[in-house]
Protein backbone atom coordinates (compact mmCIF):
# COMPACT_ATOMS: atom_id res chain seq x y z
CA UNK A 1 0.00 0.00 0.00
CA UNK A 2 3.06 2.25 0.04
CA UNK A 3 2.95 5.00 -2.55
CA UNK A 4 -0.66 4.20 -3.53
CA UNK A 5 -3.65 6.44 -3.07
CA UNK A 6 -5.95 5.13 -0.36
CA UNK A 7 -9.73 5.23 -0.87
CA UNK A 8 -11.89 5.43 2.22
CA UNK A 9 -15.52 4.36 1.77
CA UNK A 10 -16.76 6.28 4.80
CA UNK A 11 -15.79 9.71 3.51
CA UNK A 12 -15.48 8.87 -0.20
CA UNK A 13 -12.21 10.72 -0.49
CA UNK A 14 -8.82 9.75 -1.79
CA UNK A 15 -6.04 10.14 0.73
CA UNK A 16 -2.51 11.07 -0.41
CA UNK A 17 0.12 8.34 -0.78
CA UNK A 18 1.61 7.11 2.49
CA UNK A 19 5.28 6.77 3.12
CA UNK A 20 7.02 4.61 5.65
CA UNK A 21 9.75 6.37 7.55
CA UNK A 22 12.20 4.36 9.59
CA UNK A 23 14.33 5.58 12.41
CA UNK A 24 17.58 3.70 11.94
CA UNK A 25 19.22 2.14 14.98
CA UNK A 26 22.64 3.61 15.63
CA UNK A 27 25.90 2.04 16.73
CA UNK A 28 25.47 2.36 20.51
CA UNK A 29 21.92 1.00 20.65
CA UNK A 30 22.99 -1.98 18.56
CA UNK A 31 26.14 -2.40 20.64
CA UNK A 32 24.19 -2.65 23.90
CA UNK A 33 21.68 -5.04 22.34
CA UNK A 34 24.56 -7.22 21.11
CA UNK A 35 26.15 -7.26 24.58
CA UNK A 36 22.81 -8.35 26.03
CA UNK A 37 22.65 -11.13 23.42
CA UNK A 38 26.16 -12.25 24.34
CA UNK A 39 24.97 -12.57 27.95
CA UNK A 40 22.01 -14.67 26.77
CA UNK A 41 24.17 -16.96 24.62
CA UNK A 42 26.77 -17.27 27.38
CA UNK A 43 24.03 -18.17 29.83
CA UNK A 44 22.63 -20.82 27.50
CA UNK A 45 26.08 -22.32 27.14
CA UNK A 46 26.80 -22.25 30.87
CA UNK A 47 23.36 -23.50 31.95
CA UNK A 48 22.77 -26.14 29.26
CA UNK A 49 25.78 -26.96 27.07
CA UNK A 50 28.52 -27.23 29.71
CA UNK A 51 26.38 -29.30 32.13
CA UNK A 52 25.45 -31.66 29.28
CA UNK A 53 29.11 -32.09 28.37
CA UNK A 54 29.94 -32.84 32.00
CA UNK A 55 26.99 -35.22 32.33
CA UNK A 56 28.20 -37.23 29.34
CA UNK A 57 31.78 -37.01 30.60
CA UNK A 58 32.99 -35.00 27.60
CA UNK A 59 35.90 -32.59 27.82
CA UNK A 60 35.08 -28.93 28.32
CA UNK A 61 38.66 -27.84 27.60
CA UNK A 62 38.86 -25.48 24.68
CA UNK A 63 42.28 -26.65 23.56
CA UNK A 64 41.66 -25.85 19.90
CA UNK A 65 39.03 -24.32 17.70
CA UNK A 66 38.01 -27.85 16.67
CA UNK A 67 37.40 -29.06 20.21
CA UNK A 68 33.84 -30.41 20.59
CA UNK A 69 32.90 -27.80 23.19
CA UNK A 70 34.14 -24.99 20.94
CA UNK A 71 32.15 -26.28 17.98
CA UNK A 72 29.03 -26.76 20.10
CA UNK A 73 29.13 -23.29 21.66
CA UNK A 74 29.72 -21.77 18.22
CA UNK A 75 26.70 -23.61 16.84
CA UNK A 76 24.60 -22.36 19.77
CA UNK A 77 25.82 -18.80 19.12
CA UNK A 78 24.91 -18.77 15.44
CA UNK A 79 21.70 -20.78 15.93
CA UNK A 80 20.48 -18.22 18.49
CA UNK A 81 21.01 -15.28 16.14
CA UNK A 82 19.68 -17.05 13.04
CA UNK A 83 16.55 -18.50 14.64
CA UNK A 84 15.63 -15.40 16.63
CA UNK A 85 16.13 -13.11 13.63
CA UNK A 86 14.19 -15.39 11.27
CA UNK A 87 11.21 -16.02 13.52
CA UNK A 88 10.97 -12.73 15.45
CA UNK A 89 13.05 -10.27 13.35
CA UNK A 90 14.91 -9.51 16.55
CA UNK A 91 16.98 -11.16 19.22
CA UNK A 92 16.24 -10.77 22.92
CA UNK A 93 18.76 -7.92 23.05
CA UNK A 94 17.01 -6.12 20.21
CA UNK A 95 13.66 -6.73 21.93
CA UNK A 96 14.90 -5.12 25.15
CA UNK A 97 16.17 -2.06 23.26
CA UNK A 98 13.21 -1.84 20.86
CA UNK A 99 15.09 -2.69 17.68
CA UNK A 100 14.07 -4.81 14.72
CA UNK A 101 15.78 -6.21 11.61
CA UNK A 102 13.88 -5.55 8.40
CA UNK A 103 14.46 -6.16 4.72
CA UNK A 104 15.27 -2.97 2.81
CA UNK A 105 12.24 -3.65 0.59
CA UNK A 106 9.99 -4.19 3.63
CA UNK A 107 9.43 -7.84 2.75
CA UNK A 108 9.59 -10.70 5.22
CA UNK A 109 13.07 -12.01 5.96
CA UNK A 110 13.91 -15.13 3.98
CA UNK A 111 16.15 -17.92 5.21
CA UNK A 112 18.86 -16.93 2.75
CA UNK A 113 18.72 -13.29 3.90
CA UNK A 114 18.97 -14.29 7.56
CA UNK A 115 21.79 -16.79 6.94
CA UNK A 116 23.79 -14.27 4.93
CA UNK A 117 23.28 -11.59 7.57
CA UNK A 118 23.81 -13.62 10.72
CA UNK A 119 26.40 -16.17 9.60
CA UNK A 120 28.30 -15.01 6.54
CA UNK A 121 28.08 -11.26 7.14
CA UNK A 122 28.88 -11.37 10.84
CA UNK A 123 31.73 -13.84 10.28
CA UNK A 124 33.27 -11.44 7.75
CA UNK A 125 32.66 -8.44 10.04
CA UNK A 126 34.38 -10.23 12.93
CA UNK A 127 37.36 -11.53 10.97
CA UNK A 128 38.34 -8.08 9.73
CA UNK A 129 38.84 -6.83 13.27
CA UNK A 130 35.26 -5.70 13.85
CA UNK A 131 35.62 -2.98 11.20
CA UNK A 132 32.43 -4.29 9.59
CA UNK A 133 30.51 -3.32 12.72
CA UNK A 134 31.96 0.20 12.63
CA UNK A 135 30.16 0.74 9.33
CA UNK A 136 27.07 1.26 11.51
CA UNK A 137 28.57 4.40 13.02
CA UNK A 138 29.42 6.00 9.69
CA UNK A 139 26.98 4.80 7.04
CA UNK A 140 23.94 6.86 6.05
CA UNK A 141 21.35 4.27 7.07
CA UNK A 142 23.41 2.88 9.96
CA UNK A 143 24.06 -0.35 8.05
CA UNK A 144 26.82 -2.66 9.20
CA UNK A 145 28.77 -4.70 6.66
CA UNK A 146 26.54 -7.68 7.45
CA UNK A 147 23.46 -5.54 6.75
CA UNK A 148 24.91 -4.42 3.43
CA UNK A 149 25.64 -8.02 2.45
CA UNK A 150 22.08 -9.14 3.26
CA UNK A 151 20.15 -5.98 2.24
CA UNK A 152 18.74 -5.44 5.71
CA UNK A 153 18.51 -2.54 8.12
CA UNK A 154 17.95 -2.32 11.85
CA UNK A 155 15.28 0.14 12.91
CA UNK A 156 13.56 1.29 16.08
CA UNK A 157 10.13 -0.31 16.49
Amino acid sequence: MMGENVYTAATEEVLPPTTVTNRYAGFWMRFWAYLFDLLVVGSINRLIVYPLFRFFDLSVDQTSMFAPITITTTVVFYAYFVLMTKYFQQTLGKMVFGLKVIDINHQSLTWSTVLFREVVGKFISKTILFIGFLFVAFSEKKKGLHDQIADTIVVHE
Side-chain angles (χ1 to χ4, degrees), residues 30 104 135-136 139 141-145 147-148 152-153:
R30 292 174 66 171
I104 60 169
F135 281 39
V136 174
S139 70
K141 294 183 179 180
K142 310 291 186 205
K143 292 174 70 169
L145 181 60
D147 291 314
Q148 293 176 14
T152 58
I153 50 178

Side-chain angles (χ1 to χ4, degrees), residues 56-115:
F56 290 110
D57 201 27
L58 299 169
S59 174
V60 291
D61 293 332
Q62 296 182 351
T63 55
S64 74
M65 69 180 196
F66 297 110
I69 190 70
T70 306
I71 293 170
T72 305
T73 56
T74 301
V75 167
V76 168
F77 176 85
Y78 283 110
Y80 167 79
F81 282 97
V82 167
L83 295 174
M84 291 294 293
T85 302
K86 173 60 181 154
Y87 290 114
F88 302 106
Q89 291 184 278
Q90 52 193 173
T91 59
L92 292 175
K94 285 182 180 71
M95 287 178 191
V96 167
F97 288 93
L99 308 177
K100 191 174 200 175
V101 179
I102 61 171
D103 182 88
I104 60 169
N105 298 317
H106 300 282
Q107 297 175 357
S108 62
L109 296 174
T110 63
W111 278 107
S112 60
T113 299
V114 172
L115 288 171

